[in-house]
């Protein structure tokens, strides 16, 4: 079971591995009803979880620390008008979330999936 994370290069690696029939994990698949043409717009099918680009090992470490409840930064939500954005994954909802509660619930789910990913992965590709 292979997990991927990183920059756009990791997206290409993951896509190639999947096309070759290798067991790439996807713990946050797109919801039914979301057209395939929009999956990437919402951060689906890019990596093994819906974390968006992870550019540095420090950013990866922060994500793991957040998943393990070791790090809870105070400015993790950005608001613009009545829309709210996850500061660590601002591109996963292009129009933002309708409420802070929705953002927090989806973030909790995401971080739980990150932990499952680490438990299940036999190979972790990070670029």
């Amino acid at each position: 079971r292979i997990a991927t994370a990183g920059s756009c290069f990791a997206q290409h690696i993951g896509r190639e591995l999947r096309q070759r029939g290798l067991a790439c994990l996807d713990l946050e698949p797109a919801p039914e009803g979301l057209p395939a043409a929009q999956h990437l717009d919402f951060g689906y099918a890019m990596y093994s979880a819906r974390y968006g680009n992870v550019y540095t090992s420090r950013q990866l470490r922060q994500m793991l620390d957040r998943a393990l409840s070791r790090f809870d930064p105070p400015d993790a939500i950005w608001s613009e008008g009545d829309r709210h954005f996850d500061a660590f994954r601002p591109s996963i909802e292009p129009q933002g979330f309708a409420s802070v509660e929705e953002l927090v619930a989806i973030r909790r789910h995401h971080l739980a999936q990150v932990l499952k990913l680490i438990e299940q992965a036999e190979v972790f590709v990070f670029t």
Side-chain angles (χ1 to χ4, degrees), residues 19 73 78:
Q19 287 176 354
W78 299 336

Side-chain angles (χ1 to χ4, degrees), residues 19-125:
Q19 287 176 354
R20 287 168 168 61
L22 295 168
C24 290
L25 296 170
D26 185 358
L27 276 79
E28 291 185 275
E32 282 190 35
L34 182 66
Q38 292 183 319
H39 287 188
L40 294 178
D41 295 338
F42 289 86
Y44 294 106
M46 295 173 80
Y47 304 108
S48 295
R50 194 177 172 215
Y51 24 69
N53 287 342
V54 180
Y55 292 108
T56 66
S57 56
R58 182 178 208 155
Q59 187 181 358
L60 178 64
R61 172 74 188 267
Q62 281 183 341
M63 179 174 57
L64 294 174
D65 284 344
R66 289 172 50 237
L68 292 165
S69 299
R70 294 181 190 164
F71 178 55
D72 187 18
D75 298 328
I77 297 173
W78 299 336
S79 297
E80 290 183 19
D82 63 348
R83 305 306 292 182
H84 309 281
F85 299 85
D86 186 332
F88 288 91
R89 306 177 307 146
S91 64
I92 62 150
E93 286 291 331
Q95 303 303 312
F97 293 93
S99 69
V100 169
E101 294 79 16
E102 178 188 19
L103 185 156
V104 170
I106 289 174
R107 177 189 288 156
R108 268 195 208 112
H109 172 76
H110 164 68
L111 293 174
Q113 298 314 303
V114 168
L115 288 179
K116 286 181 186 178
L117 179 75
I118 297 306
E119 293 169 355
Q120 294 178 14
E122 296 171 303
V123 175
F124 188 78
V125 177

